[in-house]
Tab-separated table of all heavy atoms in Angstrom:
chain	number	residue	atom	x	y	z
A	77	GLY	N	61.838	-94.992	86.415
A	77	GLY	CA	60.720	-94.846	87.287
A	77	GLY	C	60.079	-96.178	87.733
A	77	GLY	O	60.566	-97.228	87.366
A	78	ALA	N	59.007	-96.044	88.480
A	78	ALA	CA	58.368	-97.230	89.088
A	78	ALA	C	57.827	-98.157	87.976
A	78	ALA	O	57.695	-99.392	88.187
A	78	ALA	CB	57.216	-96.781	89.969
A	79	TRP	N	57.514	-97.634	86.827
A	79	TRP	CA	56.938	-98.471	85.724
A	79	TRP	C	58.025	-99.079	84.839
A	79	TRP	O	57.643	-99.736	83.916
A	79	TRP	CB	56.024	-97.605	84.871
A	79	TRP	CG	54.850	-97.102	85.584
A	79	TRP	CD1	54.726	-95.928	86.262
A	79	TRP	CD2	53.566	-97.732	85.701
A	79	TRP	NE1	53.456	-95.815	86.800
A	79	TRP	CE2	52.743	-96.890	86.479
A	79	TRP	CE3	53.082	-98.970	85.256
A	79	TRP	CZ2	51.442	-97.282	86.771
A	79	TRP	CZ3	51.768	-99.266	85.557
A	79	TRP	CH2	50.961	-98.479	86.330
A	80	ALA	N	59.307	-98.875	85.101
A	80	ALA	CA	60.345	-99.294	84.190
A	80	ALA	C	60.357	-100.781	83.934
A	80	ALA	O	60.610	-101.165	82.745
A	80	ALA	CB	61.704	-98.856	84.751
A	81	TRP	N	59.978	-101.585	84.858
A	81	TRP	CA	59.992	-103.004	84.646
A	81	TRP	C	58.852	-103.535	83.703
A	81	TRP	O	58.961	-104.557	83.142
A	81	TRP	CB	59.955	-103.770	85.955
A	81	TRP	CG	58.694	-103.486	86.762
A	81	TRP	CD1	58.400	-102.468	87.583
A	81	TRP	CD2	57.508	-104.359	86.779
A	81	TRP	NE1	57.165	-102.557	88.090
A	81	TRP	CE2	56.583	-103.697	87.625
A	81	TRP	CE3	57.140	-105.552	86.143
A	81	TRP	CZ2	55.293	-104.246	87.851
A	81	TRP	CZ3	55.877	-106.022	86.364
A	81	TRP	CH2	54.949	-105.423	87.243
A	82	LEU	N	57.855	-102.644	83.535
A	82	LEU	CA	56.726	-102.989	82.625
A	82	LEU	C	56.928	-102.345	81.185
A	82	LEU	O	56.042	-102.527	80.365
A	82	LEU	CB	55.414	-102.394	83.209
A	82	LEU	CG	54.729	-103.198	84.238
A	82	LEU	CD1	53.518	-102.468	84.760
A	82	LEU	CD2	54.318	-104.581	83.699
A	83	LEU	N	58.047	-101.700	80.981
A	83	LEU	CA	58.276	-101.021	79.759
A	83	LEU	C	57.983	-101.773	78.472
A	83	LEU	O	57.233	-101.359	77.592
A	83	LEU	CB	59.673	-100.497	79.666
A	83	LEU	CG	59.851	-98.989	79.670
A	83	LEU	CD1	61.134	-98.577	80.297
A	83	LEU	CD2	59.760	-98.516	78.263
A	84	PRO	N	58.468	-103.053	78.347
A	84	PRO	CA	58.180	-103.787	77.104
A	84	PRO	C	56.695	-104.038	76.890
A	84	PRO	O	56.194	-103.914	75.770
A	84	PRO	CB	58.947	-105.094	77.290
A	84	PRO	CG	60.032	-104.812	78.292
A	84	PRO	CD	59.424	-103.748	79.190
A	85	LEU	N	56.018	-104.383	77.954
A	85	LEU	CA	54.537	-104.633	77.816
A	85	LEU	C	53.768	-103.366	77.516
A	85	LEU	O	52.835	-103.337	76.711
A	85	LEU	CB	54.055	-105.297	79.066
A	85	LEU	CG	54.583	-106.702	79.336
A	85	LEU	CD1	54.072	-107.192	80.696
A	85	LEU	CD2	54.257	-107.683	78.256
A	86	LEU	N	54.182	-102.258	78.178
A	86	LEU	CA	53.499	-100.999	77.891
A	86	LEU	C	53.718	-100.535	76.492
A	86	LEU	O	52.829	-99.949	75.846
A	86	LEU	CB	53.891	-99.920	78.915
A	86	LEU	CG	53.575	-100.160	80.389
A	86	LEU	CD1	54.177	-99.130	81.264
A	86	LEU	CD2	52.082	-100.270	80.536
A	87	ARG	N	54.938	-100.696	76.014
A	87	ARG	CA	55.275	-100.319	74.617
A	87	ARG	C	54.480	-101.130	73.600
A	87	ARG	O	53.907	-100.567	72.655
A	87	ARG	CB	56.791	-100.490	74.367
A	87	ARG	CG	57.218	-100.114	73.033
A	87	ARG	CD	57.075	-98.569	72.814
A	87	ARG	NE	57.672	-98.213	71.563
A	87	ARG	CZ	57.216	-97.261	70.852
A	87	ARG	NH1	56.235	-96.511	71.225
A	87	ARG	NH2	57.748	-96.990	69.674
A	88	ALA	N	54.369	-102.450	73.859
A	88	ALA	CA	53.555	-103.254	72.965
A	88	ALA	C	52.070	-102.820	73.012
A	88	ALA	O	51.438	-102.738	71.975
A	88	ALA	CB	53.734	-104.708	73.369
A	89	ALA	N	51.579	-102.559	74.190
A	89	ALA	CA	50.156	-102.099	74.309
A	89	ALA	C	49.943	-100.775	73.554
A	89	ALA	O	48.916	-100.650	72.884
A	89	ALA	CB	49.809	-101.932	75.779
A	90	ASP	N	50.895	-99.847	73.651
A	90	ASP	CA	50.830	-98.605	72.978
A	90	ASP	C	50.740	-98.826	71.451
A	90	ASP	O	49.879	-98.244	70.795
A	90	ASP	CB	52.026	-97.741	73.282
A	90	ASP	CG	52.126	-96.472	72.500
A	90	ASP	OD1	51.118	-95.756	72.401
A	90	ASP	OD2	53.244	-96.212	71.954
A	91	LEU	N	51.529	-99.677	70.903
A	91	LEU	CA	51.540	-99.993	69.476
A	91	LEU	C	50.293	-100.736	69.078
A	91	LEU	O	49.793	-100.475	67.963
A	91	LEU	CB	52.766	-100.721	69.059
A	91	LEU	CG	54.060	-99.937	69.250
A	91	LEU	CD1	55.317	-100.842	68.999
A	91	LEU	CD2	54.120	-98.743	68.326
A	92	TRP	N	49.763	-101.593	69.916
A	92	TRP	CA	48.508	-102.301	69.557
A	92	TRP	C	47.344	-101.312	69.552
A	92	TRP	O	46.446	-101.406	68.728
A	92	TRP	CB	48.257	-103.449	70.442
A	92	TRP	CG	49.020	-104.666	70.074
A	92	TRP	CD1	50.161	-105.215	70.695
A	92	TRP	CD2	48.779	-105.491	68.941
A	92	TRP	NE1	50.588	-106.271	69.967
A	92	TRP	CE2	49.817	-106.486	68.884
A	92	TRP	CE3	47.904	-105.450	67.894
A	92	TRP	CZ2	49.832	-107.490	67.918
A	92	TRP	CZ3	47.975	-106.425	66.885
A	92	TRP	CH2	48.901	-107.409	66.889
A	93	LEU	N	47.400	-100.299	70.446
A	93	LEU	CA	46.328	-99.252	70.379
A	93	LEU	C	46.444	-98.447	69.128
A	93	LEU	O	45.441	-98.035	68.520
A	93	LEU	CB	46.443	-98.358	71.594
A	93	LEU	CG	45.876	-98.932	72.874
A	93	LEU	CD1	46.179	-98.043	74.096
A	93	LEU	CD2	44.382	-99.197	72.784
A	94	LEU	N	47.679	-98.171	68.663
A	94	LEU	CA	47.839	-97.546	67.341
A	94	LEU	C	47.263	-98.352	66.244
A	94	LEU	O	46.555	-97.887	65.377
A	94	LEU	CB	49.331	-97.271	67.142
A	94	LEU	CG	49.742	-96.746	65.719
A	94	LEU	CD1	49.077	-95.390	65.444
A	94	LEU	CD2	51.234	-96.588	65.632
A	95	TRP	N	47.496	-99.706	66.269
A	95	TRP	CA	47.015	-100.564	65.279
A	95	TRP	C	45.474	-100.592	65.279
A	95	TRP	O	44.852	-100.484	64.272
A	95	TRP	CB	47.562	-101.989	65.502
A	95	TRP	CG	47.006	-103.010	64.534
A	95	TRP	CD1	47.542	-103.317	63.334
A	95	TRP	CD2	45.798	-103.819	64.690
A	95	TRP	NE1	46.707	-104.322	62.742
A	95	TRP	CE2	45.688	-104.602	63.549
A	95	TRP	CE3	44.908	-103.915	65.761
A	95	TRP	CZ2	44.691	-105.541	63.380
A	95	TRP	CZ3	43.841	-104.832	65.577
A	95	TRP	CH2	43.724	-105.601	64.430
A	96	LEU	N	44.927	-100.621	66.479
A	96	LEU	CA	43.464	-100.657	66.570
A	96	LEU	C	42.823	-99.335	66.109
A	96	LEU	O	41.783	-99.387	65.420
A	96	LEU	CB	43.032	-100.921	68.067
A	96	LEU	CG	41.586	-101.201	68.300
A	96	LEU	CD1	41.042	-102.363	67.484
A	96	LEU	CD2	41.379	-101.477	69.812
A	97	SER	N	43.444	-98.251	66.414
A	97	SER	CA	42.944	-96.941	65.955
A	97	SER	C	42.974	-96.898	64.401
A	97	SER	O	42.120	-96.368	63.747
A	97	SER	CB	43.616	-95.768	66.608
A	97	SER	OG	44.954	-95.704	66.224
Side-chain angles (χ1 to χ4, degrees):
W79 294 91
W81 64 277
L82 278 176
L83 245 151
L85 296 174
L86 294 176
R87 181 66 173 148
D90 173 49
L91 293 172
W92 279 107
L93 283 173
L94 173 61
W95 178 88
L96 188 58
S97 64

